[in-house]
Amino acid sequence: MKKINIAIDGPAAAGKSTIAKRVAEILGMVYVDTGAMYRAITLLHIQQPDKEIDDLVQSIDLKIVNDNGQRIYLNGIDVSDRIRANDVTLNVSKVASFASVRTKLVKLQQEMTENKGVVMDGRDIGTKVIPDAELKIYMIASVQERAERRLLDNQNRGIEATLEELIIDIERRDHLDMTREISPLTKADDAIEIDTTGMSIEEVTNRIIELARKK
Ligand SMILES: Nc1ncnc2c1ncn2[C@@H]1O[C@H](COP(=O)(O)OP(=O)(O)O)[C@@H](O)[C@H]1O
Ligand SMILES: Nc1ccn([C@@H]2O[C@H](COP(=O)(O)OP(=O)(O)O)[C@@H](O)[C@H]2O)c(=O)n1
């Protein structure tokens, strides 16, 4: 198989990161979760609320390390777990709508993919970050199923939230991500849509591997 980039976009808790990790492992590719980068900037904003986000972005030191899964370091500190907390989730879509934030992160993400061999997941990967990706997936699932998956996720992480709260959050973030001015979440014309509702992780992974091997 020739060296390619795979873009996986879709709404919250569709299964993007889980599947992207597995696909990268099986195909010997690098996995990048771009949502974690937006969450890290959001964490910095929460820690320094009086500082303009445009100023925060200029001086931020963000490092992604791939050792047995992706770890993200914000100004030298591993924030991989902290960025999943509710306060970050509540603010990330707002922070992600800032042009300065998107310009900075998209540039970093493009540098990470210029030598190919990357599976990258997010909201604008197939439309803005790597529009020339050899394989683009638009991953969706019902709100109910995504909320149930996130509920399990949160329970495993010790994060409090009821199913009803998660349904509200998922619908809120879907709306914000899809209607924002800059780089809204949308399916690229050449993306293949996979509705993972009722599909197992293995079935979705195998489907993407099969598509990648045809490239
Ligand atoms: N096809 C699937 N079936 C059941 N659970 C899934 C499936 N895909 C992902 N999950 C689970 O759903 C949760 C959210 O998946 P995640 O990869 O974080 O979604 P995203 O990156 O799209 O937000 C994780 O706990 C993951 O294990
Ligand atoms: N490429 C990306 C990735 C995430 N994001 C933003 O970051 C938020 C968190 O992304 P995430 O992938 O960690 O969120 P989940 O889908 O895992 O809940 C999203 O709701 C978007 O607002 C973005 O704007 N562009």
Side-chain angles (χ1 to χ4, degrees):
M1 194 181 104
K2 75 179 170 51
K3 223 174 172 195
I4 65 171
N5 280 328
I6 302 175
I8 303 181
D9 292 304
K16 302 182 298 296
S17 309
T18 304
I19 303 301
K21 250 179 246 169
R22 280 164 173 70
V23 167
E25 268 162 33
I26 293 166
L27 295 180
M29 296 172 73
V30 172
Y31 158 63
V32 178
D33 166 6
T34 62
M37 298 167 81
Y38 287 95
R39 286 173 177 271
I41 290 194
T42 304
L43 176 60
L44 194 60
H45 166 58
I46 292 170
Q47 291 168 341
Q48 302 180 42
D50 301 335
K51 211 164 175 192
E52 287 297 321
I53 287 176
D54 292 350
D55 298 337
L56 273 184
V57 168
Q58 297 321 316
S59 58
I60 195 167
D61 166 21
L62 214 45
K63 280 210 179 28
I64 291 202
V65 175
N66 268 295
D67 59 344
N68 181 28
Q70 176 185 293
R71 304 301 292 179
I72 185 160
Y73 293 80
L74 173 64
N75 298 335
I77 297 165
D78 184 340
V79 294
S80 310
D81 299 324
R82 173 63 182 85
I83 59 172
R84 299 292 160 191
N86 287 334
D87 57 345
V88 174
T89 299
L90 278 174
N91 288 282
V92 61
S93 289
K94 175 194 75 173
V95 172
S97 67
F98 279 68
S100 59
V101 171
R102 303 211 71 85
T103 303
K104 171 98 177 180
L105 291 189
V106 168
K107 185 169 177 296
L108 279 174
Q109 292 152 13
Q110 288 175 330
E111 287 163 4
M112 296 163 96
T113 54
E114 59 197 6
N115 297 324
K116 304 275 181 190
V118 177
V119 185
M120 184 172 271
D121 81 282
R123 301 296 189 282
D124 58 340
I125 312 307
T127 50
K128 294 281 185 223
V129 179
I130 38 174
D132 60 346
E134 286 76 5
L135 175 60
K136 299 180 186 180
I137 302 292
Y138 190 72
M139 194 177 287
I140 63 171
S142 68
V143 172
Q144 181 68 25
E145 173 128 357
R146 290 189 281 140
E148 285 166 4
R149 291 175 183 174
R150 191 47 45 93
L151 182 67
L152 267 180
D153 240 358
N154 285 353
Q155 285 166 350
N156 294 338
R157 287 191 170 118
I159 298 173
E160 294 289 310
T162 64
L163 186 62
E164 292 65 33
E165 285 165 345
L166 289 169
I167 288 173
I168 290 165
D169 173 65
I170 283 173
E171 288 178 332
R172 176 186 66 86
R173 269 196 303 129
D174 284 358
H175 177 72
L176 289 172
D177 291 348
M178 288 175 173
T179 57
R180 67 183 172 212
E181 201 64 33
I182 310 170
S183 304
L185 166 62
T186 182
K187 178 179 167 302
D189 294 341
D190 52 349
I192 296 164
E193 182 170 289
I194 300 179
D195 184 341
T196 67
T197 309
M199 287 178 77
S200 71
I201 290 173
E202 194 183 1
E203 285 168 334
V204 180
T205 304
N206 292 343
R207 178 87 182 94
I208 296 176
I209 295 289
E210 184 192 336
L211 290 166
R213 285 190 167 139
K214 287 178 184 160
K215 290 299 171 186

